[in-house]
């Protein structure tokens, strides 16, 4: 789950942007693979807390080394806090999901997010959604149903967690539409890491004190701590790569590359856990990808039409 953020504009370089975006999508599933591995010994809540804590720590160390700690103060503290909370809840939902299902399957279901965002934008922002985009949404949701059916039978309602992740991440993107990001990348990542660590750390403490199964702190070994740090590092690096890509290339060029994440997740999932999607799952994945690409196409066309309408006549 990575998304472009604000940053200084740089000279366009489409090929380099494609390289950066592809690199990000190749490494993001490694974070999920590690989370799935760790969740066999540690609660998903603790693994998610580790991601945000180490992301926060990495940002703080970079700021200290660069002598720019004063710039970590956000211009939008409340908005950034809400962004961080939504990202923390989305990550917790997804890391819990991959504990019980393959990473490739969970990511594939999560990619109904463009459909969810389109629906929420229509309901909340009153954006116009034409019949063709409605049709694409229905195709994408059909793909999700195809993937979900066997998982619902096998592992129950936990298989719906990637759907919840898609909703939470869509609300995160919706906030970005309502309140455009004004901070630089390091400040954004620092704020997300801090707010996420505070929320999840509080929940972990409460679960430990109440002795709630699955929410109690488990003392990790040093190798496990190292892997938690790697998750935080990948989160930080992938976000940076995506931001750098969107600074150099157009959204219409880069958006389709997000589906490289499914390929990467399938490869690493097979190598580490011998998980490989079956035939019906690939059909569902194809429907979701086709739907997402068409929605991106219609969104790009709509923006072009709006820009043409606003250009004054000579």
């Amino acid at each position: 789950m990575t998304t472009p953020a604000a940053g200084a504009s740089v000279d366009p370089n489409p090929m380099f942007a494609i390289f950066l975006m592809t690199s990000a999508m190749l490494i993001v599933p490694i974070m999920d693979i590690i989370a799935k591995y760790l969740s066999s010994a540690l609660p998903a809540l603790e693994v998610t807390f580790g991601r945000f804590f180490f992301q926060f720590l990495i940002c703080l160390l970079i700021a200290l080394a660069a002598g720019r700690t004063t710039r970590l103060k956000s211009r939008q503290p409340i908005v950034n806090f809400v962004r961080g909370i939504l990202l923390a809840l989305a990550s917790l939902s997804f890391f819990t999901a991959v504990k019980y299902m393959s990473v490739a399957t969970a990511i594939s279901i999560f990619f109904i997010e463009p459909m969810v965002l389109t629906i929420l934008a229509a309901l909340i922002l009153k954006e116009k959604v034409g019949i063709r985009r409605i049709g694409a949404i229905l195709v994408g949701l059909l793909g999700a149903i195809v993937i979900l059916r066997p998982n619902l039978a096998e592992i129950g309602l936990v298989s719906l967690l990637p759907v919840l992740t898609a909703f939470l991440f869509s609300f995160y993107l919706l906030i970005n539409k309502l309140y455009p990001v004004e901070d630089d990348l390091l400040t954004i990542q620092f704020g997300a890491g801090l707010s996420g660590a505070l929320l999840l750390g509080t929940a972990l403490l409460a679960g430990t004190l109440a002795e709630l199964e699955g929410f109690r702190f488990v003392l990790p070994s040093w190798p496990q701590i190292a892997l938690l740090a790697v998750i935080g590092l990948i989160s930080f690096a992938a976000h940076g790569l995506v931001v750098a890509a969107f600074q150099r290339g157009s959204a219409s060029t880069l958006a389709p590359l997000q589906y490289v994440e499914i390929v990467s997740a399938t490869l690493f999932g097979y190598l580490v856990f011998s998980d490989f999607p079956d035939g019906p799952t690939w059909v569902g994945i194809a429907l979701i990808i086709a739907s997402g690409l068409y929605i991106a196409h219609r969104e790009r066309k709509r923006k072009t039409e709006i820009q043409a309408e606003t250009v004054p006549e000579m």
Side-chain angles (χ1 to χ4, degrees):
M1 293 171 292
T2 52
T3 183
S9 60
V10 296
D11 293 334
N13 189 334
M15 293 306 298
F16 189 45
I18 290 172
F19 169 76
L20 291 171
M21 186 68 176
T22 303
S23 299
M25 295 304 100
L26 288 174
I27 66 172
V28 166
I30 298 176
M31 175 176 66
D32 303 323
I33 292 290
I34 295 174
K36 181 178 178 68
Y37 172 77
L38 288 174
S39 66
S40 63
L42 303 175
L45 176 60
E46 186 173 340
V47 175
T48 315
F49 166 75
R51 168 193 166 168
F52 284 87
F53 172 78
F54 280 106
Q55 179 179 325
F56 156 76
L57 189 59
I58 289 168
C59 292
L60 181 59
L61 291 175
I62 291 174
L64 288 171
R68 47 163 295 181
T69 53
T70 56
R71 293 182 60 187
L72 291 179
K73 185 177 180 181
S74 173
R75 299 174 187 172
Q76 307 167 295
I78 296 176
V79 175
N80 277 354
F81 180 79
V82 174
R83 286 190 182 111
I85 294 301
L86 287 171
L87 282 178
L89 293 175
S91 296
L92 176 59
S93 173
F94 194 80
F95 283 177
T96 304
V98 298
K99 179 176 182 176
Y100 301 98
M101 58 200 305
S102 75
V103 173
T105 299
I107 288 177
S108 300
I109 298 171
F110 164 74
F111 273 121
I112 65 168
E113 174 266 313
M115 293 122 250
V116 175
L117 180 60
T118 301
I119 294 170
L120 292 178
L123 294 175
I124 299 174
L125 303 182
K126 307 302 179 183
E127 291 186 1
K128 184 178 179 181
V129 180
I131 187 66
R132 282 175 286 192
R133 278 203 288 174
I134 292 175
I137 290 170
L138 294 176
V139 169
L141 295 180
L142 175 62
I145 292 172
V146 170
I147 300 173
L148 279 169
R149 284 189 62 189
N151 288 281
L152 276 169
E154 292 174 10
I155 61 177
L157 294 178
V158 71
S159 61
L160 294 176
L161 285 175
V163 177
L164 175 60
T165 305
F167 270 91
L168 290 167
F169 197 67
S170 294
F171 276 111
Y172 168 84
L173 295 177
L174 204 62
I175 287 179
N176 287 348
K177 284 193 173 188
L178 290 168
Y179 304 97
V181 179
E182 297 179 2
D183 297 316
D184 63 15
L185 175 61
L186 189 64
T187 303
I188 294 165
Q189 296 238 52
F190 176 82
L194 177 60
S195 54
L198 286 174
L199 172 70
L200 298 168
T202 301
L204 190 60
L205 177 61
T208 302
L209 293 175
E211 298 186 349
L212 296 176
E213 188 64 32
F215 295 90
R216 291 182 296 181
F217 176 78
V218 175
L219 185 64
S221 64
W222 284 111
Q224 289 170 336
I225 292 174
L227 288 175
L228 289 171
V230 170
I231 290 178
L233 180 61
I234 292 174
S235 174
F236 177 84
H239 194 172
L241 288 170
V242 171
V243 171
F246 274 86
Q247 288 175 340
R248 293 165 174 81
S250 66
S252 59
T253 300
L254 299 175
L257 294 174
Q258 65 183 323
Y259 297 107
V260 172
E261 191 175 346
I262 296 177
V263 178
S264 178
T266 301
L267 173 63
F268 290 121
Y270 178 73
L271 292 175
V272 178
F273 301 108
S274 299
D275 292 332
F276 194 81
D278 57 16
T281 299
W282 281 115
V283 171
I285 291 172
L287 291 173
I288 291 174
I289 292 176
S291 173
L293 291 176
Y294 186 77
I295 288 174
H297 164 71
R298 292 301 303 172
E299 181 71 16
R300 182 173 68 252
K301 187 173 181 180
R302 186 177 70 88
K303 287 182 179 179
T304 302
E305 292 171 350
I306 292 175
Q307 290 172 353
E309 291 173 358
T310 56
V311 174
E313 295 183 6
M314 300 298 292

